[in-house]
Amino acid sequence: MKPSAPSASSRAELTLRGLVIGIVITVVFTAANVFFGLKAGLTFATSIPAAVISMAILRAMKNSTIQENNIVQTVASAAGTLSSIIFVLPGMIMIGWWADFPFWTSFAICALGGILGVMYSIPLRRALVTDTDLPYPEGLACAEVLKVGTGDDADAGSAEESRAGLLAVLWGSIVSAVFAVVVATQVFASDFVRNFRVNDKGAVSGFDFNLSFALFAIGHLVGLSVGIAMLIGAVIGWGWGVPHYSVLGDMSQSVADLANGTWSHKVRFVGAGAIGVSAIWTLAKLVKPVITGLTSAMAASRVRKAGNADSLPRTERDIPIGIVGLITLACFVPIAWLLGYFGSISGLGDQVAVLAIGGVAFVVLMGFFVSTVCGYMAGLIGSSNSPLSGVGILVVIAAALLLVAFVKPHVSPEEGKALVAFALFITSVVFTVAAIANNNLQDLKTGQLVDATPWRQQVALVIGVIAGAAVIPPVLNLLNKAYGFVGVAGVGAHALPAPQAGLISALAQGVITNNIDWSLIITGIGIGVGIIVIDEILARTTRNMRVPPLAVGLGIYLPTVSTLMVVVGSVVGWLFDRRADRRSKKPEATKQLGVLLASGLIVGESVMGVVIAFIVGFSGKAAPLALVGESFGDAAQWIGGIAFVVLVAVMYRWIARMGQGTSAR
């Protein structure tokens, strides 16, 4: 007989050992993520690999619980989120304002913005986690990994099913990890790429299938509607946008350079416009549930004050809303001082009051806006695929426009550079708020699924934010001195691209110097409005089919290397579930094994991504594990693509057969 679970008051959850393990993992993963993001323009989610490492460590200790493991991954998840500041902060170096990253200033940006992100997301929990049907693919995957790995899966119908689930996670992890290693040797290509001309006018297009099991698994978890919406966005971007704008480009370039340059400098801004209007629409639709969430939070606070805390379900106990308000206000004071201090040392001393007061108001309003939107996007497609750099684009444009409207008329022309730096500075604060909110709600979804206590997770996130904020500045300084950033004078051949930081800093300069093509953003807004109308019509005329506008905007804004494999995974996952419904005697058990397999695929590639990032960082080589040269590239694409398809077919066939032998839930 299975032993009874410990009571909520006696079980291990927010423990010192869990916090220490989480902080250590945070330090390691933050360093890896900063380097990986600056080099590749992508960061990886750390919750699942942190959960796997935590389970391996705590399994050897007494009285560990699934909730304690959940606290460890909650602390460590700050590594994946705060690292996203690399999408903005290096811009200060690129524009020549900073020579390095001052520790206390950079720490304050990350810590204050991160804590605000946690505080903002607390009243959003009920609206976006408890009272919603958003899939939260990574939160679901992390919960399934925790349940299977700790053996505490209360929903398991039998020991046999638990064993089958563990096998699904284990073999999914092994396959994706081994595949990632082979990709690092360059025997398999990392992606399958084709660029081509589409007409006699010189228009070009192309596609890029990333041979990533993690992206494939994300597609399985988010479902068909989101996958189709992202495909629609990719078709708009690469079927219309790139061919349309490429004819205006430099025809002397190679097809690939022309296609990618057109997407980066033209189509991406169309996508940003679509994301912007979709984000505003999403926020408008969330006004009612957000108000309900705030009302519930205040009601819970009144219950506590009345001495009836025990009557409130443990799984609904957030940090009291009064404390949330006090911490939020406490963050605004140093933020105001930082903004005023930055303005005074930037030659904008006459405008310090406007910059400080207006800057805090901007952080308050824009911070809550991006918290809501990013939380919704994380619930829709997962934290890893949420377009934080797209949010950064919208925020820096808004900040730059406000500076032009209220400050620029009163400063001399030579102070324009200072305005650009201030725009990047305030964007960094808001961006950190967005990054943490993007992740926090995903963690709270995991907690909901493993019977965790929300306030304990929220405390753990604040601790993780502070730990990550302390690591980021020295790591950035180390990489800046070792490599430098592309576009900065005097850097060597191994300079880190930091593509998002370059784009966002260029946008700030473009707005303030009035050198930006607004027609691209307006075109995106028009496309976004059209998709919103179509989605609302579908909502009223069909039961299941929707076209989430944000997902379409993502499809336009993100490169196909980040979207197409998600689309493939969503279609394969849908077909697998349909087949289970038609042919399996135990369809629910079989579909659950599919979710666990997808979770394992994310785990293996994420953990191996950390390992490979460290190898790359310490070796100083772009491809330290390479066994073949660049001449093998075309063959590697075909070999890798065929191997990927074969492995997917074999794994899903195996899961379908194993599902026949498990007990239905």
Side-chain angles (χ1 to χ4, degrees), residues 580-601:
D581 287 331
R582 291 196 312 268
R583 300 186 183 181
S584 177
K585 296 178 182 178
K586 303 161 185 175
E588 293 306 314
T590 302
K591 287 190 281 188
Q592 185 63 23
L593 285 176
V595 170
L596 290 170
L597 175 66
S599 303
L601 294 174

Side-chain angles (χ1 to χ4, degrees), residues 106-122:
S106 303
F107 171 82
I109 289 172
C110 295
L112 292 171
I115 293 170
L116 271 181
V118 176
M119 295 302 110
Y120 277 171
S121 61
I122 289 172

Side-chain angles (χ1 to χ4, degrees), residues 273-331:
I275 288 174
V277 72
S278 300
I280 294 170
W281 174 250
T282 298
L283 183 64
K285 292 181 70 174
L286 288 173
V287 167
K288 183 176 179 180
V290 167
I291 291 174
T292 301
L294 286 168
T295 304
S296 299
M298 288 186 284
S301 179
R302 287 195 294 270
V303 169
R304 284 178 177 271
K305 289 180 180 178
N308 299 320
D310 290 341
S311 66
L312 190 68
R314 178 183 48 74
T315 53
E316 287 300 313
R317 297 177 190 171
D318 296 294
I319 293 176
I321 197 67
I323 295 178
V324 171
L326 288 175
I327 294 174
T328 301
L329 290 174
C331 288

Side-chain angles (χ1 to χ4, degrees), residues 118 122 125 318-319 444 454-462:
V118 176
I122 289 172
R125 183 184 66 82
D318 296 294
I319 293 176
L444 291 173
W455 74 263
R456 290 187 171 97
Q457 274 193 280
Q458 291 151 5
V459 169
L461 267 165
V462 171

Side-chain angles (χ1 to χ4, degrees), residues 69 83 108 116 197 310 378 391 431:
N69 277 298
S83 299
L116 271 181
R197 297 198 181 275
D310 290 341
V391 172
F431 193 85

